Amino acid sequence: SILNMELDPHGRFVYVAVSNANGLYRFDVEKSEWKTIRPSTAGTDVSALYVEQDGSLVIGTGGRISSMLSWTGMFRSTDQGDSWVEVNVRDAGETLHPRIGAIQSTSDGRLIASFVRYSNDKPSGIFIEQSDGKWINVTDDGAPPSLMVVSGELIYYVKNYTGTVTY
């Protein structure tokens, strides 16, 4: 089933994250063809998909309830999914990646993501990427959202209830 769908800023490519079945596809509108573009190290569980203003593609893994042991972090592609680099979402010394449930960005281009962490000293929540590459938690309730929308300096999110947080 389709989990997420995004259009690139130029309208040429449509990106689709699906449950299982290789996880991530790109449809080329000009050529009318589909291509699997999932990074080999990401597994098949692409749970979050976001296209940045410059057209870069960002994916997260493991953010669904059914994601048992298949979370491998966050990845970015600057060439429509032909090649990928890992986005560092772990603190120094941390071995496990957080599970990524949703990705958006701030008006100045910093990524915002919902992290699920399984450590008492590493809370889950909504995190914002900083200019030094670190991530800060902007929620205080420890529960990550399943959906979020960013507008100005507000993050609207949905989980067990609807909430907002200002960053």
Side-chain angles (χ1 to χ4, degrees):
S1 65
I2 294 175
L3 302 173
N4 201 340
M5 188 182 303
E6 293 277 341
L7 180 65
D8 85 311
H10 309 292
R12 174 160 180 199
F13 299 107
V14 178
Y15 302 101
V16 180
V18 299
S19 58
N20 301 318
N22 288 320
L24 186 63
Y25 296 88
R26 177 183 70 206
F27 180 72
D28 186 327
V29 174
E30 291 178 9
K31 296 180 180 179
S32 286
E33 64 185 27
W34 288 96
K35 180 178 181 183
T36 302
I37 58 169
R38 176 187 48 83
S40 60
T41 54
T44 59
D45 189 16
V46 177
S47 55
L49 169 63
Y50 181 70
V51 177
E52 297 179 288
Q53 294 173 357
D54 68 358
S56 295
L57 181 62
V58 183
I59 63 166
T61 63
R64 296 180 301 128
I65 292 173
S66 61
S67 305
M68 297 313 265
L69 295 173
S70 59
W71 63 93
T72 56
M74 186 183 289
F75 301 86
R76 176 182 279 127
S77 174
T78 58
D79 58 5
Q80 296 81 37
D82 289 332
S83 63
W84 296 88
V85 295
E86 184 176 348
V87 175
N88 185 18
V89 292
R90 295 179 284 181
D91 292 335
E94 198 173 11
T95 56
L96 290 177
H97 294 88
R99 297 167 74 154
I100 311 296
I103 303 170
Q104 293 284 308
S105 73
T106 63
S107 57
D108 63 356
R110 293 177 295 148
L111 292 176
I112 300 173
S114 68
F115 288 5
V116 177
R117 290 188 159 146
Y118 295 99
S119 170
N120 291 336
D121 62 334
K122 303 282 185 192
S124 297
I126 299 174
F127 286 73
I128 298 180
E129 181 183 38
Q130 302 301 293
S131 58
D132 63 1
K134 294 184 179 178
W135 293 78
I136 61 165
N137 191 344
V138 295
T139 51
D140 58 4
D141 58 9
S146 55
L147 298 170
M148 64 182 173
V149 175
V150 178
S151 176
E153 294 184 357
L154 278 178
I155 303 169
Y156 299 92
Y157 60 93
V158 177
K159 50 184 184 174
N160 295 337
Y161 56 87
T162 302
T164 60
V165 64
T166 304
Y167 63 90

